[in-house]
Amino acid sequence: MKYFFAYLFCVLLGPTQLLFGQDENTIELGNTLSIHSQILNEDRKLLVSLPDSYQDPSKANSTYPIIILLDGFVHFKTTSAIVGFMGSRTNRNYLMPETIVVAIENVDRERDFTVTKLKTKRPNTMGGGKNFLNFIEKELIPFLDDKYRTTSHRTLIGHSLGGLLTINAYLDENKLFDTYLAIDPSIWWDQTVMLEKVRTTTQTSIGKKLYLATANQGKANYERNKKRHDSFIAFLQERWGEKLKIKQDYFEKEDHRSVPLPAIYEGLKYLNKIVGQ
């Protein structure tokens, strides 16, 4: 782990050129793209990080799995560094395959990451989560498959409200994602709706792998956060038992803001673990 954090430190605290450097003396972590969505009726900005071997002529026929990352600007550097370290052939880590990271920058989190509306005194745009998932599945993924050398293996990662959308995607009969990483998901938002979705889940719905990370939000938020995460997992286990492919970790020393870094690392280790290892 000490080598991992040293690697991550260099990436996160490096010069600003590190992300989009064009000079021959800089190291590029990624580049930006834009895609117009007919479904959302707007342009969406993407941050893309390609594996080290992607441009290697000897790997010209190699294909790569994709990570779709929500809250892109916030988590792109961290996730790209972790994925680069875990999939590094130079360091012989082999904790996961070399993977393309595609981060979607935000426009309206409450609109895009929630599938239901809450009653508020002010007007709100909540409840567009299904539409946003349709954009990812019907427009973004086909765009990426056409532009890059991709495999059909895809992972969805989200934190907080992004974690809520990740859980909702997991519960749907979604064929485009194979694994899901939900970081301290805001299950309190629509817990009743979510539990009803669990009651109607099918074998197809729960046949995918899910990693759920829970942060320590203190005694005041225990009922709202950890207890609801535990209840959600228990409800799934009651319905599906050993058929589930789920792991939940409680990060007692991490709060809602600090938990993404260890959660992404531990979550990707679990999601990429081969049966029998």
Side-chain angles (χ1 to χ4, degrees):
M1 283 292 287
K2 67 178 181 180
Y3 299 108
F4 160 64
F5 285 111
Y7 176 89
L8 190 63
F9 179 84
C10 292
V11 172
L12 297 183
L13 297 186
T16 56
Q17 286 181 318
L18 185 63
L19 183 56
F20 305 121
Q22 298 299 319
D23 187 275
E24 64 180 1
N25 295 318
T26 63
I27 300 173
E28 293 188 13
L29 182 60
N31 61 286
T32 61
L33 290 176
S34 181
I35 177 176
H36 180 75
S37 169
Q38 298 289 345
I39 293 173
L40 301 177
N41 192 31
E42 63 190 15
D43 293 336
R44 297 305 296 250
K45 187 176 180 181
L46 310 174
L47 304 172
V48 182
S49 176
L50 298 176
D52 291 341
S53 69
Y54 193 89
Q55 306 297 347
D56 186 340
S58 68
K59 304 289 185 180
N61 294 321
S62 296
T63 55
Y64 302 85
I66 289 181
I67 287 174
I68 301 295
L69 178 66
L70 306 179
D71 285 319
F73 185 78
V74 178
H75 300 303
F76 177 67
K77 283 187 178 182
T78 304
T79 303
S80 297
I82 291 172
V83 170
F85 175 82
M86 294 180 69
S88 172
R89 276 29 186 175
T90 302
N91 294 335
R92 299 180 182 178
N93 288 324
Y94 305 114
L95 294 169
M96 65 180 292
E98 288 189 292
T99 299
I100 300 171
V101 177
V102 179
I104 309 171
E105 291 204 8
N106 291 330
V107 170
D108 184 339
R109 295 180 81 253
E110 283 193 351
R111 179 196 71 183
D112 292 340
F113 295 168
T114 62
V115 299
T116 57
K117 274 184 173 285
L118 300 182
K119 291 183 179 180
T120 59
K121 293 182 180 180
R122 60 175 176 81
N124 68 70
T125 58
M126 303 169 187
K130 290 183 179 178
N131 216 34
F132 190 67
L133 285 174
N134 280 337
F135 153 67
I136 293 175
E137 296 163 10
K138 297 178 180 179
E139 294 180 326
L140 177 57
I141 288 179
F143 170 80
L144 297 172
D145 287 344
D146 183 62
K147 186 172 181 63
Y148 298 107
R149 303 193 307 273
T150 62
T151 69
S152 61
H153 190 280
R154 307 176 185 100
T155 299
L156 181 64
I157 301 178
H159 171 235
S160 194
L161 283 180
L164 175 68
L165 186 70
T166 301
I167 294 289
N168 274 289
Y170 165 76
L171 292 175
D172 286 338
E173 289 190 336
N174 188 315
K175 297 180 180 178
L176 292 187
F177 289 103
D178 302 275
T179 55
Y180 300 80
L181 204 167
I183 307 166
D184 216 29
S186 303
I187 290 178
W188 57 267
W189 182 280
D190 57 2
Q191 185 182 29
T192 303
V193 173
M194 191 165 290
L195 293 181
E196 182 57 36
K197 289 181 73 172
V198 172
R199 292 188 181 95
T200 60
T201 51
T202 66
Q203 183 71 52
T204 301
S205 302
I206 57 88
K208 312 294 179 67
K209 294 180 78 171
L210 168 68
Y211 178 86
L212 192 153
T214 301
N216 184 350
Q217 295 195 23
K219 292 182 180 179
N221 285 323
Y222 172 77
E223 295 285 332
R224 167 173 157 140
N225 194 58
K226 186 176 186 303
K227 186 175 181 179
R228 292 193 180 186
H229 289 183
D230 293 345
S231 297
F232 170 71
I233 296 296
F235 195 39
L236 272 171
Q237 290 173 335
E238 180 182 342
R239 175 162 172 75
W240 291 104
E242 295 182 356
K243 293 180 180 180
L244 288 174
K245 301 174 183 177
I246 287 181
K247 183 179 180 184
Q248 179 191 17
D249 280 336
Y250 176 50
F251 293 86
E252 187 173 6
K253 295 182 180 180
E254 308 295 340
D255 62 24
H256 186 67
R257 297 299 175 190
S258 66
V259 74
L261 192 154
I264 292 170
Y265 180 75
E266 294 296 334
L268 288 175
K269 274 204 303 185
Y270 167 72
L271 295 176
N272 287 281
K273 185 177 181 180
I274 300 172
V275 176
Q277 280 187 341

